[in-house]
């Protein structure tokens, strides 16, 4: 539904993958309501058992790499994200009021989403597994580099073979 809304408004509507860290105690609420901003919690009278800071303002924080924010929870959620119109954080905060739907942190490692409808948690794993996932990907990329295999070309060939 959010993707269709973005499409109608000529906003980017491609989904991508992100990682959201939380605590096991929050999973019951997340399973019933999805990931939410603090404003969403307040409007639904939900109290988070434990949450982290909000350096970039209110929103749903997701990482681009699984291990970057592993200290922010004991559970990592693999998420599908709909960034919509993005703002790069130059001033140190979110500004959704001017028509942006997400903010990319100035270091490029975090994306803050405005609404719950922009984020869907699809896989849950322990934060320790995040290291294993990243290590496996990095090892595979190192192998490809060592063997002079172009990962983009390989992905393209695999996609063509699927069609």
């Amino acid at each position: 539904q959010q993707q269709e809304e973005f499409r109608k408004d000529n906003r980017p509507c491609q989904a991508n993958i992100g990682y959201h860290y939380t605590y096991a105690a929050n999973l019951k609420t997340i399973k019933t309501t999805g990931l939410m901003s603090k404003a969403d919690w307040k409007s639904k009278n939900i109290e988070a058992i434990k949450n982290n800071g909000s350096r970039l303002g209110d929103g749903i924080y997701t990482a681009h790499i699984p291990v970057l924010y592993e200290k922010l929870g004991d559970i990592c959620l693999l998420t599908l994200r709909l960034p919509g119109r993005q703002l790069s954080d130059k001033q140190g905060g979110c500004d959704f009021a001017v028509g942006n739907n997400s903010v990319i942190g100035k270091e490029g490692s975090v994306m803050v989403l405005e609404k719950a409808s922009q984020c869907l948690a699809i896989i849950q794993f322990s934060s320790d597994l995040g290291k294993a996932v990243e290590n496996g990907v990095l090892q595979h990329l190192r192998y490809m580099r060592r063997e002079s295999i172009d990962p983009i070309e390989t992905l393209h060939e695999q996609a063509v073979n699927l069609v």
Side-chain angles (χ1 to χ4, degrees):
Q1 188 174 5
Q2 184 67 60
Q3 194 172 30
E4 188 57 35
E5 187 180 309
F6 283 173
R7 187 175 288 119
K8 286 179 184 176
D9 199 21
N10 289 321
R11 292 173 186 256
C13 56
Q14 293 292 101
N16 62 38
I17 292 176
Y19 303 90
H20 177 84
Y21 279 89
T22 189
Y23 293 93
N26 290 333
L27 287 178
K28 184 177 178 183
T29 302
I30 291 170
K31 286 178 183 177
T32 58
T33 63
L35 294 169
M36 297 187 301
S37 66
K38 289 179 186 177
D40 291 332
W41 297 342
K42 288 178 183 175
S43 72
K44 296 179 191 255
N45 293 320
I46 296 171
E47 188 174 323
I49 295 169
K50 186 171 184 179
N51 73 327
N52 296 300
S54 53
R55 183 178 60 82
L56 295 173
D58 190 22
I60 301 161
Y61 284 65
T62 59
H64 299 310
I65 299 172
V67 296
L68 283 180
Y69 298 100
E70 66 185 338
K71 293 181 176 142
L72 299 179
D74 54 4
I75 298 292
C76 182
L77 301 173
L78 176 74
T79 63
L80 289 178
R81 307 178 294 192
L82 283 172
R85 190 173 295 138
Q86 296 180 354
L87 172 73
S88 177
D89 169 43
K90 303 290 186 209
Q91 289 77 37
C94 294
D95 192 358
F96 297 129
V98 295
N100 297 302
N101 307 109
S102 62
V103 175
I104 302 291
K106 59 185 165 196
E107 69 282 351
S109 62
V110 66
M111 178 186 292
V112 183
L113 303 164
E114 177 184 22
K115 300 187 235 175
S117 58
Q118 292 174 253
C119 189
L120 176 65
I122 56 173
I123 298 174
Q124 155 195 334
F125 49 90
S126 75
S127 58
D128 291 341
L129 188 56
K131 283 182 186 173
V133 168
E134 185 175 35
N135 286 338
V137 169
L138 291 175
Q139 286 175 3
H140 187 66
L141 288 173
R142 284 185 195 114
Y143 163 78
M144 293 178 92
R145 186 181 327 134
R146 193 171 54 245
E147 299 297 319
S148 299
I149 300 170
D150 180 357
I152 301 301
E153 187 177 311
T154 302
L155 287 173
H156 177 71
E157 287 172 13
Q158 290 172 354
V160 169
N161 289 334
L162 289 174
V163 175

